[in-house]
Amino acid sequence: MVIGKQETLLIIGDSVTDCGRAYPIGEGEGNMGNGYARNVQALLDMKYPDRRIRVINMGISGNTSRDLRTRWQTDAMDLKPDWVSIMIGINDIWRKYDQCLHPEMKVDLDEYEKNLRWILETTLPTVKGICLMPPCYMEQNHQDAMRADADRYREKVKDLAKEYGVLYADAQKDMDEYFQYYPAVYMSWDRVHPNQVGHMILARALVNALGFEW
Amino acid sequence: MVIGKQETLLIIGDSVTDCGRAYPIGEGEGNMGNGYARNVQALLDMKYPDRRIRVINMGISGNTSRDLRTRWQTDAMDLKPDWVSIMIGINDIWRKYDQCLHPEMKVDLDEYEKNLRWILETTLPTVKGICLMPPCYMEQNHQDAMRADADRYREKVKDLAKEYGVLYADAQKDMDEYFQYYPAVYMSWDRVHPNQVGHMILARALVNALGFEW
Amino acid sequence: MVIGKQETLLIIGDSVTDCGRAYPIGEGEGNMGNGYARNVQALLDMKYPDRRIRVINMGISGNTSRDLRTRWQTDAMDLKPDWVSIMIGINDIWRKYDQCLHPEMKVDLDEYEKNLRWILETTLPTVKGICLMPPCYMEQNHQDAMRADADRYREKVKDLAKEYGVLYADAQKDMDEYFQYYPAVYMSWDRVHPNQVGHMILARALVNALGFEW
Amino acid sequence: MVIGKQETLLIIGDSVTDCGRAYPIGEGEGNMGNGYARNVQALLDMKYPDRRIRVINMGISGNTSRDLRTRWQTDAMDLKPDWVSIMIGINDIWRKYDQCLHPEMKVDLDEYEKNLRWILETTLPTVKGICLMPPCYMEQNHQDAMRADADRYREKVKDLAKEYGVLYADAQKDMDEYFQYYPAVYMSWDRVHPNQVGHMILARALVNALGFEW
Amino acid sequence: MVIGKQETLLIIGDSVTDCGRAYPIGEGEGNMGNGYARNVQALLDMKYPDRRIRVINMGISGNTSRDLRTRWQTDAMDLKPDWVSIMIGINDIWRKYDQCLHPEMKVDLDEYEKNLRWILETTLPTVKGICLMPPCYMEQNHQDAMRADADRYREKVKDLAKEYGVLYADAQKDMDEYFQYYPAVYMSWDRVHPNQVGHMILARALVNALGFEW
Amino acid sequence: MVIGKQETLLIIGDSVTDCGRAYPIGEGEGNMGNGYARNVQALLDMKYPDRRIRVINMGISGNTSRDLRTRWQTDAMDLKPDWVSIMIGINDIWRKYDQCLHPEMKVDLDEYEKNLRWILETTLPTVKGICLMPPCYMEQNHQDAMRADADRYREKVKDLAKEYGVLYADAQKDMDEYFQYYPAVYMSWDRVHPNQVGHMILARALVNALGFEW
Amino acid sequence: MVIGKQETLLIIGDSVTDCGRAYPIGEGEGNMGNGYARNVQALLDMKYPDRRIRVINMGISGNTSRDLRTRWQTDAMDLKPDWVSIMIGINDIWRKYDQCLHPEMKVDLDEYEKNLRWILETTLPTVKGICLMPPCYMEQNHQDAMRADADRYREKVKDLAKEYGVLYADAQKDMDEYFQYYPAVYMSWDRVHPNQVGHMILARALVNALGFEW
Amino acid sequence: MVIGKQETLLIIGDSVTDCGRAYPIGEGEGNMGNGYARNVQALLDMKYPDRRIRVINMGISGNTSRDLRTRWQTDAMDLKPDWVSIMIGINDIWRKYDQCLHPEMKVDLDEYEKNLRWILETTLPTVKGICLMPPCYMEQNHQDAMRADADRYREKVKDLAKEYGVLYADAQKDMDEYFQYYPAVYMSWDRVHPNQVGHMILARALVNALGFEW
């Protein structure tokens, strides 16, 4: 597992990451929220207590990649993490649909890419590693407009991870397998916020990308 | 418009009808809930104040056709309505998906049909008219499993309306037109509970079936 | 219907318009309040989804025409609406009665006219159209002092609409018809705030003035 | 003043009497409600402390004369008052208007008279005296339908007081004088529930009928 | 009665005056608090509606004469009353006892006199009249230390009223008569805050000093 | 100290004992209320931890000796205490004053004596010891009517303690000494409920009667 | 992994299991509580979605083995689980210390063993398998009295698991390893309720005993 | 007893002192919190009412000696106490364990000593006396890591008290005796916050150090 002794992992994103974490800093028992970030902290500390790893949840509900870029300095860089995990983009897409009368609120794929590139280039010089997680959409039908968008954004995340040589943790793939046995609506009633199984899948994708062993 | 002087219209169904109506009886200002039943009452009273029509909302959130049948005597017959409007079925379908570990909770098409037939035959002898509204599902894609189910249940409602010679108000058709211009997620974030536009569409479908003129 | 594609209709007034709308801007599902503004939005979007019209509720409880003038720049002009609907004046009158020890709080007909003229002249150059709605008073007796006042203010609104060539939507006339069948107290217990039927009547008056067809 | 040493005055009626009194028995500091009953208690005890009079408020919001008759035994007779003051009837009338779709809820003048006669005849044998107060309606215009009704019910109360030889306290007359200087809406926004001035007028009418001197 | 048409009476003091009045200005229905100020307003308006008198309650709980002096300009002078009624001093005394470890919190008789003189001399030039009410202490025993103090402060108020030729309303005298029939503890459980009878006695003392007739 | 190993002390009385204790049984950390019973428990357990004494608070606010007698079996006998401490009587007296219109609510000295005798005779056969505490009244002036009453009830308690040979703990004497330096109002604003100093005085009186050493 | 298709796993115990689960039955998203039971459900469903396993949390805070036995029929047998996991005993021990004045509340090792035997023998005939988890105590020092007790109870659980041939999942061993790197107080401030890391350790112990692979 | 007439005792520390005291200044009935500070005030005032001693509780939950030093000027010196009692240090130690990932939060023995020296040297010139109370840890086992730390900090406090010639009140010693009869967990479930017995022990230690006699 790549995270070393007394190193810090900062997990950042939108409401899927946030999940009711403590503000302004989501760190420590009771402050991690109810989502995958809590599971990641518990899994790492369960397996590697000797490393005394700090995990910090800095997700904010409703965030797009544009919001993430705006608060990157204060909410990521200033906390001086050794490792950063980023899952962003579902709101970039969602706003196109649920705020369709306000087209200025969506973030299209071009801007999304630029925001991610800016974040990667800003962060890489100061950290030991980054893990990119593509946005997940809990819909089985790839012809669905939002799912099709999510697939395109996800492809972009994958390309950027490759290009910049950073870690890549694809929970969507695991969820798609899950949808062979359960309807997607069982995991998420709005197709964006997963149930506890979904959060465990997200956590597994991330820790496995970090080299975790059960 | 078919409802006459001092006659009563009872509207019954699930959460789409309920919408926070007063209990045990949803009648009168502030007691109609926030959904289409309120609009129906306002539209009828606006246009036909001389008829002094009473509108009663007896929807209960989460109801299936099985629940409706169980409470039919006390919640419909005992109130001695002149007219009855029924919109039921989306939970008959939904439970198949969101409670997939509890298959006893869903109501399949056969039982759905039997429940509706029982309700129709119980009610017809005592009322002046019935209006059947098929369950609506706010999803554009007809290949979606729940939408496909909803289409089958809707077809059944249409057939029963024809067979029993009762009124039929199909809001799904109007919603489908709407989805040509707006993504379905804009009308409903869980594809079952519509926004205010959806509730106005439901109200229009019902009052138009009754012969309402603007 | 006069409102075109992607145009904005701003509805402004007092508590009859406000009805618990969201602050600072009343736009979008759940933010329109419980009154006629919500019905207007639902009716327009139900019928003309292809136009993707934005409706904004900027009513504030307790407002007189004097208050409206004070906040006109920030609360109307700065939002750059294409169309504006104004219903104001009942508090201009009411304060004469319920604050009779504080005569500085009422707005007499002269000042009311001046305020409306200022608003019309300020707004006309920047919008595609304006609709004036006279204040309504839910009292059948025209000899009642407040009803008599309301009739005078209403006449003034009608004259101004004619003079400035703007739309005019008279819900009082519809309500008076309604009062032939129902006591006014049935619509409003304080003669100022209507029930849901009254709000549907207000909405119909406004959308009909805009050329709406059911 | 007619009430003697250690005698009890029971005041009963509807919401104008109730005013938030304590349940089940409205007696003692903090339990009298915010209306005229509190003023009556304070005035009598201020002037006649040597008599140690007990005043009990048994008003219940929404009551008609029909309700009063139903609960008369438990809520009046069982408390063995020496004196009883009754103000009832405004809801007998109001229900005719605000519940016009439910005509079974109003109490017409014939039944009103019968209820009062029954109450008087039941009570007179066991008490030292009764004071009848007619229902008040805070509307200046005698052509108003509810005011006209109130005047008829009031006339009936006056006749019954004469016929049975009981005290009669007419606050409506005092209010009508008040309305020469203030609009009725200043005293009551729904024309039924008075402000503190109205409650002082009601109290004065009652205590003056009892022979109170300031 | 000395207060003329459209004149204003400002009532100021401590918690006995305050009684939960509205802040910052205690004027109008529902804003007068639950004490004697409300009764004064109701009595004056009941009897002299043609004068349209405004009554303002500016009491603040816990105030001593020192506090009153500090806020006199903003809370009394700036409101430009025609008449002012002042009841202050019980906290000047009480603090000597209940804050006996903090002697700087009490206000002794000398300072009390100076504060009242300053208030009188500041106010007299701008108003039509002032009424002084001595602080009341609900204790029958004149040997009780606080009662003895209250008697001395009361004597001082009486002397000042005479010296400055202002009205004087002594409710303590009426209360003492009351205590011949009721134990003081019946009127007040802490000997400072009266029950509703006490507040009616206070109101009567004040309006009688103003020349009120029932 | 007389209480032995693993014995139980039940403390019973009115609101001075109750002080917010847990219901139905006031035993254990956080369940003793905020008054002297908590101090007694803490003092005994601090000094005699080897005895593992159980202390139970069974006070109920508002109780008179009549109430105590009524619930004696269930609230005292059934708990099988080894030792019982009783402080009752202030409400027996208080009701005479604050409920002077309801003379049936007070308990006069004769009945008080009978109630205590009944309690003593019922209890003595089953316990190792009883401690009687007279009711305290926080008033320095012995001519005050309630203080005079309290002194008579206290004398009676003293006599009964002597006659029955039970322990007697007189906190009133200690409080009277305290009142040489502090006004009584400093200890209690209603003369019945003491501050924390008063509760420590009560606790000391009781534990000293039991033979406690600091 | 031993649990097969559409089988049910019932997890039962005390507050460590309960963790705020839904009542009366803790099953389904949002109803599992915040503890290890939720993790178990998420892990099993993540890995084996094709098996559609139902997990039910029936823990109740404060339970001892005596309580478990009392409710075993209704809370375990009646739900007809295929598999049962039991973690009980820490309250059997804790009551000995925190309720040391009430020795009847603790459950000693003999009764503990009898209770477990009764549960095992009652359950084995109707289920496919049982997993026993010993109570955990988050204290590093084995000389600590409660830790020593916990070790004895744990040994007993281990023996019974062997004797009855059921699964055994020992999280205490994993926690003891954890305490080599972290102080026990970091995992639990009262040594009984673990943090999220502890709950993940508990979940891992249980699912590993069932044959889970990551 | 060393505290003289009208002198002030300021008690300062962490949550064991704070116990819900009033902010910003903890003085007077109802403002002392629920802990030993309240007992100290009650004991001193019970025994020495003639001295009229003021006791002020300035504890703040979570404080370390570092925090105490930071706020010493405003929270201690500015209040000009005659006597100061200080109990600090348990958080200096606790943070080492419960915040072991944030080593900057603990205060080691060297800094603890420096902080106490600074406080002593700053305070001694302006007060009549200081009492040092060592931090208590409710654990019987001296090999426990936190207990061992607490013993070292306690030894340091004792040495400093001797070196500076100030009073020293060692409640830990009394608690250790108590633990011979009760398990420590009975006094405190987190080993830091004592029950009421513990607070009485703390109070006794302090007042005895001041020369108190029961």
Side-chain angles (χ1 to χ4, degrees), chain H residues 5 17 20 24 35 51 90 111 113 131 144 151 157 159 164 195:
Chain H
K5 287 214 173 184
T17 303
R51 304 200 193 178
I90 199 64
E111 184 188 344
E113 179 179 348
C131 182
D144 177 272
D151 284 341
V157 174
D159 292 348
Y164 285 90
N195 64 3

Side-chain angles (χ1 to χ4, degrees), chain B residues 12-14 16-17 36 63-65 86-94 107 109 112 116 132-139 146-158 160 168-173 175-176 191-192 194 202:
Chain B
I12 199 162
D14 49 41
V16 181
T17 304
Y36 75 92
N63 263 207
T64 61
S65 63
I86 304 163
M87 179 165 68
I88 199 71
I90 200 63
N91 290 314
D92 300 57
I93 299 165
W94 206 0
V107 178
L109 190 55
Y112 179 68
L116 281 189
L132 288 181
M133 302 181 75
C136 294
Y137 194 61
M138 286 128 230
E139 163 64 55
M146 270 187 70
R147 175 65 205 244
D149 279 343
D151 284 342
R152 290 189 304 126
Y153 281 60
R154 179 183 167 214
E155 202 59 37
K156 179 61 64 190
V157 174
K158 196 177 178 183
L160 289 170
Y168 176 68
D170 183 5
Q172 180 76 65
K173 191 165 55 73
M175 288 181 178
D176 286 349
R191 298 184 260 192
V192 170
L202 287 163

Side-chain angles (χ1 to χ4, degrees), chain C residues 97 139 141 183 185 189 191, chain D residues 97 100 139 141 185 189 191:
Chain C
Y97 298 93
E139 164 64 55
N141 172 16
V185 74
W189 83 324
R191 297 183 260 191
Chain D
Y97 298 92
C100 53
E139 165 63 56
N141 171 17
V185 74
W189 83 324
R191 297 184 260 191

Side-chain angles (χ1 to χ4, degrees), chain B residues 183-196:
Chain B
V185 74
Y186 182 72
M187 178 175 279
S188 170
W189 82 323
D190 62 4
R191 298 184 260 192
V192 170
H193 298 95
N195 65 2
Q196 285 296 321

Side-chain angles (χ1 to χ4, degrees), chain E residues 94 96-101 137-139 141 143-144 146 181-183 185-186 188-191 193, chain F residues 94 96-101 137-139 141 143-144 146 181-183 185-186 188-191 193:
Chain E
W94 206 359
K96 178 174 159 194
Y97 298 93
D98 71 357
Q99 293 290 343
C100 54
L101 297 188
Y137 193 60
M138 286 127 230
E139 164 63 55
N141 172 16
Q143 270 66 54
D144 177 272
M146 270 188 71
Y181 305 102
Y182 281 107
V185 74
Y186 183 71
S188 169
W189 81 324
D190 62 3
R191 297 182 260 190
H193 298 96
Chain F
W94 205 0
K96 177 173 161 194
Y97 298 93
D98 70 357
Q99 293 289 343
C100 53
L101 297 188
Y137 193 60
M138 287 126 229
E139 165 63 56
N141 172 15
Q143 271 65 54
D144 177 274
M146 272 188 68
Y181 305 102
Y182 281 106
V185 74
Y186 183 73
S188 170
W189 83 324
D190 62 4
R191 297 183 260 191
H193 298 95

Side-chain angles (χ1 to χ4, degrees), chain G residues 94 96-101 137-139 141 143-144 146 181-183 185-186 188-191 193, chain H residues 94 96-101 137-139 141 143-144 146 181-183 185-186 188-191 193:
Chain G
W94 206 359
K96 177 173 159 196
Y97 298 93
D98 70 357
Q99 294 289 344
C100 53
L101 297 188
Y137 194 61
M138 286 126 230
E139 164 64 55
N141 172 15
Q143 271 65 54
D144 176 273
M146 272 189 69
Y181 305 103
Y182 281 106
V185 75
Y186 182 73
S188 169
W189 82 324
D190 62 5
R191 298 184 257 193
H193 298 96
Chain H
W94 206 0
K96 177 174 161 193
Y97 297 92
D98 70 358
Q99 293 290 342
C100 55
L101 297 187
Y137 193 60
M138 285 128 230
E139 164 64 55
N141 171 17
Q143 271 66 54
D144 177 272
M146 270 189 70
Y181 305 103
Y182 282 107
V185 75
Y186 183 72
S188 169
W189 82 324
D190 62 4
R191 296 183 258 191
H193 298 96

Side-chain angles (χ1 to χ4, degrees), chain G residues 16 30 34 40 48 66 95 97 101 128 138 168 170 208:
Chain G
V16 181
N34 298 314
V40 168
Y48 312 102
R66 193 186 293 161
R95 291 302 87 79
Y97 298 93
L101 297 188
K128 299 201 169 142
M138 286 126 230
Y168 176 68
D170 183 5
N208 280 356

